[in-house]
Amino acid sequence: MKRTTGILLVLLLCLVLGSCGQQTDGENKPASVVVGFSQLGAESSWRIANTASMEQAAKEAGFGLMMENANQKQEKQIDAIRSFIAYQVDVIVFSPIVENGWDNVLTEAKRAGIPVILMDRMIETSDDSLYTSYVGADFYAEGRKAGEYLIRKADAMNAEHLNIAEICGTKDSTPMRDRQKGFMDAINGDSRFTVVASVDGDFLRSKGEECTIQLLDQFGKNGIDVIYSHNDSMTLGALNILEQKGVLPGQEILLITVDGEKEAVEALKAGKINCVVQCTPKLGPAVMSLVKSLTDGEHISKVTHPEEGMFTDFDVLTDPSVEGF
Ligand code: AHR
């Protein structure tokens, strides 16, 4: 392994990272493989489950995990990646908060000969050689599923016209862009639907609440028939406000959401959410298996999408397979 640069540099890095010391495997022996992992934040239950999945999978694989949480700041992710390069980790894994602005730091990683795995979110670049592999959801397909559900629901309701309010995830992130595009492509050309507003909820529950207050103020409860929200945290915030304002979620306003956390699936079972498109946070095992292949010198695939489905109010929700993460 390539971790032999000057002791001073490493000590300095330890001060900066505040997290190193010798990287150990699950049994406290020095790890033979060290993964530098830049997590983008802790904005949602999905993200917290994703971090736990990475930690657990690294432990099970016997890899050292040097993790930095960027608290939703791209600059912090760039700093973390630079620290991993200086430390000469074996593989860098990161979940990019937004798609643009990574070329410089990834060029530095490439020059240092450190492979990069994008986990959960993609980047926009003209040079695909800046990353070795992407592991994460097909967000476009998720958006399409949400739109296709709405078409089916409108048919079942014999709806003539439905006004949709969209609560979006973090601006310029892959799930925000692709969940929006997939949904719009699915409903496009169907004159029963009008998107009356698309507002930024940043994937946060608190913002889901704020957005819903603002939407109800602007359109009134009769001016919105459907809320399509890009994640469960924002949806649960919206649901809370609807109930506070005396609006029946799932009936007077349909709720379509993405992720599949326990609380959202329970709300679906209670009739308060209509459709939950799944997006699994449990990406750790797939990532660590790619790290192993890479460090064994094997070729790995450029893109890996986990299998994901959806739960809706058309399903038999008492089935034990209907459960959240
Ligand atoms: O990138 C995945 C998205 O990020 C999840 O849907 C959301 O909950 C998270 O914050």
Side-chain angles (χ1 to χ4, degrees):
M1 296 297 122
K2 301 170 284 174
R3 251 166 296 114
T4 47
T5 35
I7 290 171
L8 272 179
L9 179 59
V10 173
L11 283 175
L12 184 66
L13 278 167
C14 288
L15 284 176
V16 174
L17 290 169
S19 59
C20 33
Q22 178 124 54
Q23 289 297 312
T24 55
D25 64 11
E27 286 162 2
N28 258 356
K29 293 193 224 97
S32 59
V33 172
V34 176
V35 177
F37 171 39
S38 165
Q39 179 58 288
L40 68 87
E43 74 284 6
S44 60
S45 305
W46 188 100
R47 186 69 48 201
I48 288 158
N50 175 247
T51 302
S53 168
M54 287 289 289
E55 286 172 335
Q56 178 69 21
K59 197 171 165 198
E60 281 170 16
F63 299 157
L65 189 70
M66 193 181 273
M67 186 176 88
E68 286 295 306
N69 192 315
N71 296 321
Q72 317 285 119
K73 302 250 182 315
Q74 181 171 28
E75 317 80 76
K76 280 192 153 202
Q77 286 203 280
I78 292 173
D79 286 349
I81 293 169
R82 292 217 162 99
S83 311
F84 301 149
I85 295 170
Y87 190 83
Q88 294 186 290
V89 299
D90 297 291
V91 179
I92 291 171
V93 179
F94 88 113
S95 182
I97 178 143
V98 290
E99 291 198 330
N100 299 88
W102 304 101
D103 280 19
N104 289 346
V105 73
L106 294 187
T107 302
E108 291 166 32
K110 188 178 169 185
R111 286 204 187 111
I114 302 175
V116 171
I117 297 177
L118 303 177
M119 191 271 301
D120 165 39
R121 297 186 184 178
M122 270 298 292
I123 58 167
E124 201 172 292
T125 178
S126 54
D127 181 0
D128 278 2
S129 74
L130 291 181
Y131 65 93
T132 307
S133 190
Y134 165 72
V135 184
D138 181 342
F139 297 116
Y140 179 80
E142 291 174 353
R144 281 208 78 101
K145 283 179 201 159
E148 282 156 12
Y149 161 79
L150 183 58
I151 292 170
R152 183 175 175 200
K153 184 73 179 175
D155 291 345
M157 292 164 63
N158 282 322
E160 281 179 12
H161 192 265
L162 295 173
N163 282 340
I164 303 163
E166 180 187 32
I167 305 182
C168 299
T170 305
K171 193 168 174 297
D172 294 331
S173 68
T174 319
M176 182 268 143
R177 288 179 169 177
D178 290 359
R179 284 175 185 164
Q180 179 170 71
K181 184 157 189 348
F183 182 78
M184 297 304 169
D185 284 355
I187 62 165
N188 193 20
D190 190 325
S191 58
R192 291 175 298 177
F193 304 121
T194 304
V195 179
V196 293
S198 286
V199 291
D200 176 15
D202 205 11
F203 285 128
L204 297 166
R205 191 167 179 142
S206 58
K207 284 255 194 139
E209 293 191 345
E210 278 170 33
C211 289
T212 308
I213 293 172
Q214 182 195 315
L215 288 166
L216 289 174
D217 283 350
Q218 193 177 345
F219 299 100
K221 77 168 190 177
N222 296 325
I224 301 170
D225 304 298
V226 182
I227 292 180
Y228 167 47
S229 151
H230 290 189
N231 86 341
D232 287 349
S233 293
M234 298 187 298
T235 308
L236 292 164
L239 195 160
N240 188 26
I241 296 299
L242 293 179
E243 288 192 319
Q244 277 180 28
K245 303 267 181 190
V247 183
L248 291 176
Q251 295 179 43
E252 290 175 294
I253 295 185
L254 304 179
L255 285 182
I256 302 176
T257 186
V258 188
D259 274 355
E261 66 177 79
K262 269 198 176 57
E263 204 179 332
V265 174
E266 288 314 308
L268 171 73
K269 291 181 182 175
K272 297 179 177 188
I273 287 180
N274 305 84
C275 169
V276 178
V277 177
Q278 280 180 303
C279 177
T280 182
K282 295 178 182 166
L283 301 174
V287 170
M288 297 309 157
S289 143
L290 290 177
V291 169
K292 176 153 186 354
S293 302
L294 268 178
T295 50
D296 287 349
E298 292 165 16
H299 176 76
I300 62 170
S301 49
K302 194 78 181 175
V303 176
T304 308
H305 291 313
E307 293 230 346
E308 290 167 338
M310 66 175 175
F311 303 127
T312 78
D313 53 9
F314 291 112
D315 298 330
V316 180
L317 296 172
T318 46
D319 192 289
S321 66
V322 183
E323 57 168 0
F325 58 80

